Coordinates of all heavy atoms in Angstrom, one line a residue:
Chain H
L42 N 38.7 -15.1 23.6 CA 38.8 -16.3 24.4 C 39.1 -16.1 25.8 O 38.6 -16.8 26.7 CB 39.7 -17.4 23.7 CG 39.8 -18.7 24.3 CD1 38.4 -19.4 24.5 CD2 40.8 -19.7 23.5
E43 N 40.1 -15.3 26.0 CA 40.6 -15.0 27.4 C 39.5 -14.7 28.3 O 39.5 -15.2 29.5 CB 41.6 -13.8 27.4 CG 42.4 -13.8 28.7 CD 43.5 -12.7 28.6 OE1 43.5 -11.9 27.6 OE2 44.3 -12.6 29.6
H44 N 38.4 -14.0 27.9 CA 37.3 -13.8 28.8 C 36.6 -15.0 29.3 O 36.0 -15.0 30.2 CB 36.3 -12.7 28.1 CG 36.9 -11.4 27.9 ND1 37.0 -10.5 28.9 CD2 37.4 -10.8 26.8 CE1 37.5 -9.3 28.5 NE2 37.8 -9.5 27.2
F45 N 36.8 -16.0 28.6 CA 36.0 -17.2 28.8 C 36.8 -18.4 29.4 O 36.2 -19.4 29.9 CB 35.3 -17.8 27.4 CG 34.3 -16.9 26.9 CD1 34.6 -16.0 25.8 CD2 33.0 -16.7 27.5 CE1 33.7 -15.2 25.3 CE2 32.1 -15.9 26.9 CZ 32.4 -15.1 25.8
Q46 N 38.1 -18.2 29.5 CA 39.0 -19.4 29.7 C 38.8 -20.0 31.0 O 38.8 -21.3 31.2 CB 40.4 -19.0 29.5 CG 41.0 -18.1 30.5 CD 42.5 -17.7 30.1 OE1 43.1 -18.3 29.3 NE2 42.9 -16.6 30.7
W47 N 38.4 -19.3 32.1 CA 38.2 -19.9 33.4 C 36.8 -20.0 33.8 O 36.4 -20.5 34.9 CB 39.0 -19.2 34.5 CG 40.4 -18.9 34.2 CD1 41.1 -17.8 34.2 CD2 41.4 -20.0 34.0 NE1 42.5 -18.0 34.0 CE2 42.7 -19.3 33.8 CE3 41.3 -21.4 33.9 CZ2 43.8 -20.1 33.6 CZ3 42.5 -22.0 33.7 CH2 43.7 -21.4 33.5
L48 N 35.8 -19.6 32.9 CA 34.4 -19.7 33.1 C 33.9 -21.1 32.9 O 34.4 -21.8 32.0 CB 33.6 -18.7 32.3 CG 33.9 -17.2 32.5 CD1 32.9 -16.4 31.6 CD2 33.9 -16.8 33.9
T49 N 32.9 -21.6 33.6 CA 32.2 -22.8 33.1 C 31.3 -22.4 31.9 O 31.0 -21.2 31.6 CB 31.3 -23.3 34.2 OG1 30.3 -22.3 34.5 CG2 32.0 -23.5 35.6
E50 N 30.8 -23.5 31.2 CA 30.0 -23.2 30.1 C 28.8 -22.4 30.6 O 28.3 -21.5 29.9 CB 29.6 -24.5 29.4 CG 30.8 -25.1 28.7 CD 30.3 -26.3 27.9 OE1 29.5 -26.1 26.9 OE2 30.7 -27.4 28.2
E51 N 28.2 -22.9 31.7 CA 27.1 -22.2 32.2 C 27.3 -20.7 32.6 O 26.5 -19.8 32.2 CB 26.6 -22.9 33.5 CG 25.2 -22.4 34.0 CD 24.1 -22.6 33.1 OE1 24.3 -23.5 32.1 OE2 23.1 -21.8 33.2
Q52 N 28.4 -20.4 33.2 CA 28.8 -19.0 33.4 C 29.0 -18.2 32.1 O 28.6 -17.1 32.1 CB 30.2 -19.0 34.2 CG 29.9 -19.4 35.7 CD 31.2 -19.6 36.4 OE1 32.3 -19.8 35.8 NE2 31.3 -19.5 37.7
S53 N 29.4 -18.9 31.2 CA 29.6 -18.1 29.9 C 28.3 -17.7 29.2 O 28.2 -16.8 28.3 CB 30.5 -19.0 28.9 OG 29.7 -20.0 28.2
R54 N 27.2 -18.5 29.6 CA 25.9 -18.1 29.1 C 25.2 -17.0 29.9 O 24.2 -16.5 29.5 CB 25.0 -19.3 29.2 CG 25.3 -20.4 28.2 CD 24.2 -21.5 28.2 NE 24.6 -22.6 27.4 CZ 25.2 -23.7 27.8 NH1 25.4 -23.8 29.1 NH2 25.6 -24.7 27.1
N55 N 25.9 -16.6 31.0 CA 25.3 -15.5 31.8 C 26.4 -14.6 32.2 O 26.7 -14.3 33.5 CB 24.8 -16.2 33.1 CG 23.6 -17.2 32.8 OD1 22.5 -16.7 32.5 ND2 23.9 -18.4 32.8
L56 N 26.9 -13.9 31.2 CA 28.0 -12.9 31.5 C 27.5 -11.7 32.3 O 26.3 -11.3 32.0 CB 28.6 -12.4 30.2 CG 29.3 -13.5 29.3 CD1 29.9 -12.8 28.1 CD2 30.3 -14.3 30.1
D57 N 28.3 -11.2 33.2 CA 27.9 -9.9 33.8 C 28.0 -8.8 32.7 O 28.7 -9.0 31.7 CB 28.7 -9.6 35.0 CG 30.2 -9.5 34.7 OD1 30.7 -8.6 34.0 OD2 31.0 -10.4 35.1
A58 N 27.5 -7.6 33.0 CA 27.4 -6.5 32.0 C 28.8 -6.0 31.6 O 29.0 -5.8 30.4 CB 26.6 -5.4 32.6
A59 N 29.7 -6.0 32.6 CA 31.0 -5.5 32.1 C 31.8 -6.4 31.2 O 32.4 -6.1 30.3 CB 31.9 -5.2 33.4
T60 N 31.7 -7.7 31.5 CA 32.3 -8.7 30.7 C 31.7 -8.8 29.3 O 32.4 -8.9 28.2 CB 32.3 -10.1 31.3 OG1 32.8 -10.1 32.6 CG2 33.0 -11.1 30.5
R61 N 30.3 -8.7 29.3 CA 29.6 -8.7 28.0 C 30.0 -7.6 27.1 O 30.2 -7.7 25.9 CB 28.1 -8.7 28.2 CG 27.2 -8.9 27.0 CD 25.8 -9.1 27.4 NE 24.9 -9.0 26.2 CZ 24.5 -7.8 25.8 NH1 24.8 -6.6 26.4 NH2 23.7 -7.8 24.7
E62 N 30.2 -6.4 27.8 CA 30.7 -5.2 27.0 C 32.0 -5.4 26.4 O 32.4 -5.1 25.2 CB 30.5 -4.0 27.8 CG 30.9 -2.7 27.0 CD 30.9 -1.5 27.9 OE1 30.1 -1.4 28.9 OE2 31.6 -0.5 27.5
A63 N 33.0 -5.9 27.3 CA 34.3 -6.2 26.9 C 34.4 -7.2 25.8 O 35.1 -7.0 24.8 CB 35.2 -6.6 28.0
V64 N 33.6 -8.2 25.8 CA 33.4 -9.3 24.9 C 33.0 -8.6 23.5 O 33.5 -8.9 22.5 CB 32.6 -10.4 25.2 CG1 32.1 -11.3 24.1 CG2 33.3 -11.3 26.4
G65 N 32.0 -7.8 23.6 CA 31.5 -7.0 22.4 C 32.6 -6.3 21.7 O 32.7 -6.3 20.5
Q66 N 33.5 -5.7 22.5 CA 34.6 -5.0 21.9 C 35.7 -5.9 21.2 O 36.2 -5.6 20.1 CB 35.4 -4.1 22.9 CG 34.5 -2.9 23.3 CD 35.3 -1.8 23.9 OE1 36.6 -1.6 23.7 NE2 34.7 -0.9 24.7
E67 N 35.8 -7.1 21.7 CA 36.7 -8.0 21.1 C 36.1 -8.7 19.8 O 36.8 -8.9 18.9 CB 37.1 -9.2 22.1 CG 37.7 -8.7 23.5 CD 39.1 -8.1 23.4 OE1 39.6 -8.1 22.2 OE2 39.6 -7.8 24.5
I68 N 34.9 -8.8 20.0 CA 34.0 -9.3 18.8 C 34.3 -8.3 17.6 O 34.5 -8.6 16.5 CB 32.6 -9.6 19.0 CG1 32.5 -11.0 19.9 CG2 31.8 -9.6 17.8 CD1 31.1 -11.2 20.3

Side-chain angles (χ1 to χ4, degrees):
Chain H
L42 178 57
E43 190 175 9
H44 291 284
F45 295 102
Q46 65 187 347
W47 305 125
L48 301 186
T49 64
E50 290 187 65
E51 189 56 26
Q52 289 169 332
S53 82
R54 291 191 187 92
N55 297 283
L56 299 182
D57 59 69
T60 303
R61 185 170 168 277
E62 186 183 331
V64 164
Q66 290 202 21
E67 304 291 0
I68 285 175

